[in-house]
Amino acid sequence: MAIPVKLQVFEGPLDLLLHLIDKNKIDIYDIPIVTITEQYLSYIKQMDTDDMNVMSEFLVMAATLLDIKCKMLLPKEVNEEGEEEDPRAELVQKLLEYKMYKFMSFELKDRQVDAGRTMYKEPTLPPEVADYRPPVDYEDLIGDLNLSKLHEIFKSVVKKQEDKIDPIRSKFGRLEKDEVNMDEKILFIEAYTKDHKRFSFRALLEKQASKMDVIVTFLVILEMMKTSKISIEQQEIFDDIIITSNM
Amino acid sequence: MERAKKEAIIEAVLFTMGESVDISKLAEVIEEDTKEAKIIIEEMMQKYQEENRGISIIELDGAYQMCTKGEMYEYLIKVAKSPRKYVLTDTVLETLSIIAYKQPVTRLEIEKIRGVSCDHAVNRLVELDLIKELGRLDAPGRPLLFGTTEQFLRSFGVRSLEDLPSLNPEQIEDFKEQAEEEIQMKLDV
Amino acid sequence: MERAKKEAIIEAVLFTMGESVDISKLAEVIEEDTKEAKIIIEEMMQKYQEENRGISIIELDGAYQMCTKGEMYEYLIKVAKSPRKYVLTDTVLETLSIIAYKQPVTRLEIEKIRGVSCDHAVNRLVELDLIKELGRLDAPGRPLLFGTTEQFLRSFGVRSLEDLPSLNPEQIEDFKEQAEEEIQMKLDV
């Protein structure tokens, strides 16, 4: 019979990790990563949540732990100063920072209880005073601002707007579908092969108009090789490829 | 309960309630009968009469209320009416510049240019009488159109809207090119 | 103007306004500079600490507000409606503590520290007027920056941000020592 385990609710993966560290009474600076990873994984296996957002956050940490575990098995990386880097260092910093804020949140809670005991009073202004709006001193308000400064501000606003447009991605919309047709290319190369019998691959490529034509030509040649319509030979690496027709 | 504490409680209760509080209620809180409570309050009222106090307790038909002393009125008005320091924040200034150069313009257009909501800034500018509603755009939702006011012209020493320096299309092209160059540089690195 | 009168005016103003009043405003009404006004108010605050007073003056980031003393609470709830208590969940409190200490801070930075999303908590805190938008970070996407409000100071009995319980590297050291002690204990056993 399964023993129903009441799982504590954690604020997130860091909270869970801190709990495990606390429970195992281990030094946060020297986390036995294998043990903690095992416990962490067994905990999230028991987690009963349909919320993929919540679950994914816990899974990201699981992946991080496994990654650290692997790195611990490998020879230690050495940084520029020749020091060995502890794969756990980043996680430790995160845990410490989180722990600090968590601690402060308890402090704040205490303070709130105390502060909640004071009471305030609503304003008791006569309505004609409450509704009063003092006149605006425009000279003071505008100060040394003038039209050309306002113009500079406008220009900088427009510039900021332009900066926000990603010049590369904003052009993606203009990409046109390439009109290179695979079937047509096959017909063309087969005809070319029949005419030439034995020819240079480079010479064939030079007849291609665009990068897409080159790529498709290359694909067609590969395909024809596979189906033994042609054979190829190359003397040396990076040499021209000589194509011979088998048709 | 000590006498000092009773006085403190009465003061706190009258302050918090703001309105008049019946003597029976006050008596109950300080755990006294109304007669004794009355004596305490009367004495407190005496103390409040001292020169350095700005508030006092008044009796209203068996109830008590805390209020400011009459002679404080002129100072209270002064605070409430004290000229507020108006300042134009960057957000407000940016919004104003867009309205000045693009008027008549809707909130939506301003937001498109700034990339953030402008409600607060627009309201502030209307309040300061630097911009005003010019009517509504004949488009879905009939959005309000804004433009600058006479006060704006006066404050900026502009005789008419035609005096506003214009931002020409070439300038916008320049900005575009600059943005592209910056990106290119980043890619090259 | 006599000193007694200045005190009276300050008391009357703080009582009437109910809300926090900036030191500069108070100084103006009593016709003093802010430094002198501050001295007077600090002295008044001392006087309010006497036993027979139920109200006191608190400082909130350069502004002053009148309120009841904390120890009056149990008597006040007998007559006054107790102020609505918002119970903050741990999630909300954690988020708030990060914002309080790291302000101005973006959602992303909060999420990095907590390891989980904070949208809900941030929205709740804005709703409760404990935090507010401070502007936008000049970075891609122009993310919103958040910081605490005056209401935050009031709700947590903090006079100013400097008055927050300290959070410093030594605190981390403390944590470290605690952890080491625990280890040591284990080894000793």
Side-chain angles (χ1 to χ4, degrees):
Chain A
M1 195 178 78
I3 301 158
V5 183
K6 191 170 180 301
L7 290 175
Q8 200 178 328
V9 178
F10 294 101
E11 285 299 315
L14 289 168
D15 199 22
L16 169 55
L17 269 185
L18 281 179
H19 166 79
L20 294 176
I21 287 166
D22 202 42
K23 204 180 80 178
N24 290 288
K25 296 210 182 304
I26 49 183
D27 182 357
I28 198 162
Y29 286 91
D30 190 20
I31 301 168
I33 212 81
V34 177
T35 322
I36 286 295
T37 306
E38 268 170 24
Q39 293 186 7
Y40 184 89
L41 290 175
S42 78
Y43 178 87
I44 60 172
K45 249 181 232 151
Q46 297 172 65
M47 261 174 71
D48 172 30
T49 172
D50 296 329
D51 188 343
M52 272 318 290
N53 283 328
V54 173
M55 202 55 206
S56 66
E57 283 157 350
F58 281 89
L59 289 173
V60 168
M61 178 58 75
T64 309
L65 286 172
L66 290 170
D67 183 48
I68 295 173
K69 190 172 146 187
C70 290
K71 282 191 183 141
M72 297 285 285
L73 297 172
L74 297 170
K76 286 202 172 132
E77 281 175 33
V78 174
N79 67 11
E80 285 151 3
E81 279 103 52
E83 291 166 341
E84 283 185 350
E85 276 179 357
D86 191 329
R88 299 169 297 185
E90 201 188 322
L91 180 66
V92 168
Q93 277 315 312
K94 271 191 113 163
L95 281 169
L96 283 174
E97 192 176 20
Y98 175 71
K99 186 172 180 175
M100 191 163 68
Y101 287 115
K102 197 175 168 64
F103 177 76
M104 292 331 292
S105 77
F106 294 137
E107 288 277 316
L108 283 179
K109 200 180 207 168
D110 288 347
R111 288 208 169 205
Q112 193 189 19
V113 172
D114 291 341
R117 298 171 66 85
T118 41
M119 290 192 190
Y120 299 88
K121 165 189 162 295
E122 295 292 316
T124 34
L125 291 170
E128 78 272 17
V129 175
D131 296 340
Y132 177 78
R133 291 280 168 276
V136 184
D137 180 351
Y138 285 97
E139 255 178 56
D140 190 45
L141 178 72
I142 306 296
D144 60 349
L145 189 68
N146 54 32
L147 207 52
S148 67
K149 280 192 187 151
L150 190 67
H151 193 228
E152 286 304 313
I153 293 168
F154 182 59
K155 278 202 286 191
S156 76
V157 173
V158 175
K159 182 161 163 27
K160 251 192 235 161
Q161 187 195 12
E162 287 301 334
D163 281 348
K164 254 180 265 162
I165 301 168
D166 178 342
I168 295 170
R169 263 177 239 177
S170 65
K171 282 181 186 150
F172 281 2
R174 278 179 249 159
L175 270 185
E176 279 160 27
K177 193 186 161 211
D178 262 291
E179 293 306 322
V180 182
N181 185 306
M182 189 91 173
D183 293 335
E184 278 172 21
K185 204 54 129 189
I186 292 171
L187 289 175
F188 167 79
I189 294 172
E190 280 184 358
Y192 189 91
T193 308
K194 274 181 194 145
D195 289 349
H196 292 80
K197 299 294 175 200
R198 187 177 164 83
F199 58 94
S200 146
F201 180 58
R202 273 186 195 160
L204 176 64
L205 290 188
E206 274 161 21
K207 291 188 167 42
Q208 308 307 320
S210 69
K211 198 191 263 177
M212 192 48 77
D213 283 296
V214 171
I215 294 166
V216 175
T217 303
F218 181 63
L219 290 174
V220 172
I221 296 291
L222 285 178
E223 179 64 24
M224 287 169 73
M225 247 177 71
K226 206 176 101 190
T227 52
S228 302
K229 283 178 180 162
I230 54 166
S231 347
I232 63 159
E233 56 195 278
Q234 186 183 33
Q235 295 299 328
E236 263 174 69
I237 194 158
F238 299 130
D239 248 10
D240 193 7
I241 299 165
I242 303 302
I243 301 167
T244 316
S245 167
N246 297 335
M247 291 189 285
Chain B
M1 202 189 289
E2 277 171 46
R3 171 64 179 259
K5 193 169 183 185
K6 285 175 193 161
E7 289 186 16
I9 294 170
I10 291 171
E11 187 177 57
V13 168
L14 292 179
F15 170 82
T16 309
M17 298 304 281
E19 51 203 30
S20 65
V21 182
D22 207 81
I23 182 72
S24 60
K25 229 177 194 173
L26 289 171
E28 201 189 311
V29 193
I30 60 167
E31 291 161 15
E32 285 289 354
D33 55 33
T34 54
K35 205 183 140 208
E36 186 58 28
K38 220 167 172 138
I39 293 169
I40 297 172
I41 295 178
E42 301 285 343
E43 269 187 44
M44 285 175 72
M45 285 166 81
Q46 285 297 324
K47 277 191 211 163
Y48 273 90
Q49 283 320 308
E50 266 176 46
E51 265 202 324
N52 68 340
R53 302 304 307 267
I55 49 182
S56 63
I57 298 173
I58 51 166
E59 194 195 333
L60 296 160
D61 205 10
Y64 293 86
Q65 184 166 6
M66 195 178 268
C67 61
T68 53
K69 285 184 185 165
E71 63 263 37
M72 290 293 125
Y73 188 71
E74 56 172 313
Y75 302 103
L76 296 174
I77 296 278
K78 214 169 154 188
V79 184
K81 288 195 174 179
S82 79
R84 257 175 288 178
K85 183 83 182 144
Y86 292 105
V87 261
L88 296 172
T89 61
D90 288 353
T91 311
V92 174
L93 272 175
E94 277 183 24
T95 308
L96 179 62
S97 77
I98 295 167
I99 294 170
Y101 289 95
K102 294 215 127 194
Q103 60 186 307
V105 64
T106 65
R107 277 177 214 263
L108 194 70
E109 286 172 276
I110 303 168
E111 279 169 23
K112 261 192 193 157
I113 294 172
R114 295 200 49 240
V116 287
S117 142
C118 67
D119 278 359
H120 176 77
V122 167
N123 294 344
R124 190 102 187 85
L125 286 164
V126 170
E127 203 183 305
L128 290 170
D129 190 32
L130 289 172
I131 65 163
K132 65 181 176 196
E133 295 172 7
L134 291 180
R136 285 178 184 274
L137 186 69
D138 201 5
R142 311 222 342 109
L144 279 166
L145 287 163
F146 293 92
T148 50
T149 58
E150 219 175 273
Q151 180 60 54
F152 168 81
L153 296 180
R154 248 196 313 275
S155 298
F156 284 87
V158 191
R159 278 180 307 172
S160 76
L161 288 180
E162 283 85 62
D163 272 4
L164 284 176
S166 63
L167 188 68
N168 52 37
E170 287 102 75
Q171 202 129 30
I172 297 178
E173 278 309 305
D174 282 354
F175 290 148
K176 261 189 204 163
E177 272 163 33
Q178 279 173 29
E180 275 170 26
E181 272 164 29
E182 278 162 23
I183 293 280
Q184 201 52 50
M185 271 166 55
K186 270 183 229 160
L187 290 177
D188 289 346
V189 170
Chain C
M1 202 189 286
E2 279 170 47
R3 171 62 178 258
K5 191 167 184 189
K6 287 175 191 162
E7 290 186 15
I9 293 171
I10 291 172
E11 187 178 61
V13 168
L14 292 180
F15 174 82
T16 308
M17 300 302 280
E19 302 159 349
S20 67
V21 182
D22 205 82
I23 182 72
S24 60
K25 242 180 190 172
L26 291 171
E28 207 187 307
V29 198
I30 61 166
E31 290 160 18
E32 285 288 355
D33 56 30
T34 54
K35 208 183 138 206
E36 185 59 32
K38 222 170 173 138
I39 293 170
I40 297 173
I41 295 179
E42 301 282 342
E43 271 186 44
M44 286 175 70
M45 286 166 83
Q46 287 295 326
K47 277 191 210 161
Y48 273 89
Q49 286 317 309
E50 272 176 38
E51 267 200 324
N52 66 340
R53 305 301 311 264
I55 51 182
S56 64
I57 298 174
I58 53 162
E59 190 196 334
L60 296 163
D61 212 7
Y64 294 85
Q65 185 164 10
M66 198 177 264
C67 63
T68 59
K69 285 184 183 164
E71 60 262 38
M72 291 292 122
Y73 186 72
E74 53 176 311
Y75 304 102
L76 289 173
I77 48 167
K78 284 186 191 163
V79 273
K81 242 195 292 166
S82 139
R84 248 215 293 180
K85 278 260 160 50
Y86 294 103
V87 182
L88 300 177
T89 62
D90 287 352
T91 310
V92 173
L93 268 171
E94 269 181 37
T95 309
L96 182 60
S97 76
I98 294 168
I99 295 171
Y101 286 96
K102 282 204 93 114
Q103 60 187 307
V105 64
T106 64
R107 279 176 213 261
L108 194 70
E109 287 173 275
I110 303 167
E111 281 170 20
K112 260 192 192 157
I113 294 171
R114 295 195 53 236
V116 284
S117 130
C118 67
D119 276 0
H120 174 76
V122 167
N123 294 344
R124 180 100 184 96
L125 286 165
V126 170
E127 212 177 273
L128 293 173
D129 189 33
L130 290 172
I131 64 163
K132 63 182 175 195
E133 296 174 5
L134 290 181
R136 285 176 184 270
L137 187 68
D138 207 1
R142 310 235 322 125
L144 279 168
L145 288 163
F146 294 92
T148 51
T149 59
E150 193 187 277
Q151 181 59 43
F152 164 79
L153 296 179
R154 241 191 315 272
S155 303
F156 290 88
V158 186
R159 281 155 44 122
S160 72
L161 290 180
E162 284 88 61
D163 191 36
L164 279 173
S166 71
L167 179 72
N168 45 36
E170 285 102 74
Q171 198 99 49
I172 300 184
E173 282 307 304
D174 283 351
F175 290 141
K176 188 181 168 184
E177 271 164 34
Q178 276 170 30
E180 275 167 12
E181 271 164 31
E182 279 163 19
I183 294 280
Q184 202 51 51
M185 271 167 55
K186 217 166 78 178
L187 290 177
D188 289 346
V189 170

